[in-house]
Amino acid sequence: MKGELRGAPRVVRVAGAQMGPVQRTDQRDDTVARLCALLHRAADLGAELVVFPELALTTFFPRWFVADIAEADHYFEREMPSTTTAPLFAAARQRGVGFSLGYAELTSTGRRFNTQILVERNGTVVAHYRKVHVPGHAGHEPNRPFQHAERYYFEPSDEGFGVWDAFNGRIGMMICNDRRWPETYREMGLAKVELIVCGYNTPLQYIPDPSQDPLADFHNSLVMQSGAYQNGTFVVGVAKGGEEEGVDSLAGSQIIAPSGEVLAKTLGNGDEVIVADCDLEWCKNYQNTLFDLDYYRRPEAYHRLTSQRGPGTHPDGSPRG
Ligand code: ING
């Protein structure tokens, strides 16, 4: 059967707004001012959607463990937008630009999530996404040179992966470690996603296995390019990079086409804007042919995918970070 290939262009000009480090003592207002400057730079380049990193408003605080978690409350947002973030929402509305923004969420019932918001060009909030795959560890591990205690600070979300009608297409969201799991992309591929926005903070040192450190940039590209190609979707991955509180973090922000090709990639590890014209019709060349899921996928044969967490052979069954 011959699937329909791309029709009349449906272009959205997307920007990746990569950030350099946010230090512990940086004031929120100054960080929001940086985000506004990046948004204006992207808008000057004609961007309609600006993608910001994970936990963009603060330093990556899970690198420290505090016995009383209330001591970390100031890193969390109780509302979005708030008076602190209002200038970013105002700048976006003023420029007619939409954006996605990662931040730490503390709900009114005291639940904590690693969250990303998607805002349309007219300022309306399209959706919130809460991180599903939470890496790292839940307890203090003093032998590490720095912590990666995301499982202490954030609950994993059971809400799954949404895909929303926005920016004249089908938009999905994921956060950082989510991008390493093929299930993330397929869950959205099965909802006809055309563009996935993703923020990440990735230390260049992976403490459990240093042999992976020289491969950090390769693995970052590998997973996002594979996910894009295998689901015929654009993927926009945006870093908070550079040396943050002594921890060197991966940059490598990039905009990837449904073919898996990289349309734009940052050169440095500081505040930097990349832009690409994404014709969402391009998705059809893959979703309606090679990866026509309705025609070729075989869920009848995938017996383990949702019935098992893992192979079940892990000695103590506890996830490693
Ligand atoms: N960070 C990391 C990520 O998946 C990590 C976890 C750290 C993986 C170091 C590999 C190396 O990119 C987040 N925040 O999920």
Side-chain angles (χ1 to χ4, degrees), residues 22-60:
V22 176
Q23 305 305 350
R24 187 184 200 142
T25 53
D26 287 355
Q27 295 306 305
R28 206 65 128 264
D29 293 346
D30 296 336
T31 303
V32 170
R34 273 172 66 186
L35 295 171
C36 291
L38 285 164
L39 182 135
H40 282 298
R41 211 183 305 167
D44 292 346
L45 293 168
E48 299 166 82
L49 168 57
V50 184
V51 182
F52 290 113
E54 172 191 29
L55 297 177
L57 298 170
T58 64
T59 195
F60 187 76

Side-chain angles (χ1 to χ4, degrees), residues 185-223:
Y185 303 87
R186 185 64 93 215
E187 274 288 312
M188 291 187 267
L190 288 165
K192 278 188 78 65
V193 72
E194 295 175 318
L195 190 147
I196 302 173
V197 296
C198 174
Y200 58 87
N201 289 202
T202 300
L204 284 167
Q205 263 188 287
Y206 182 57
I207 306 307
D209 176 17
S211 77
Q212 297 180 35
D213 295 357
L215 300 169
D217 186 62
F218 165 64
H219 286 157
N220 184 47
S221 297
L222 176 68
V223 291

Side-chain angles (χ1 to χ4, degrees), residues 54 60 131 135 148 150 176-177 179-180 201-203 205-206:
E54 172 191 29
F60 187 76
K131 190 171 184 178
H148 198 101
E150 285 196 61
C176 205
N177 195 250
R179 77 191 188 287
R180 299 182 190 277
N201 289 202
T202 300
Q205 263 188 287
Y206 182 57

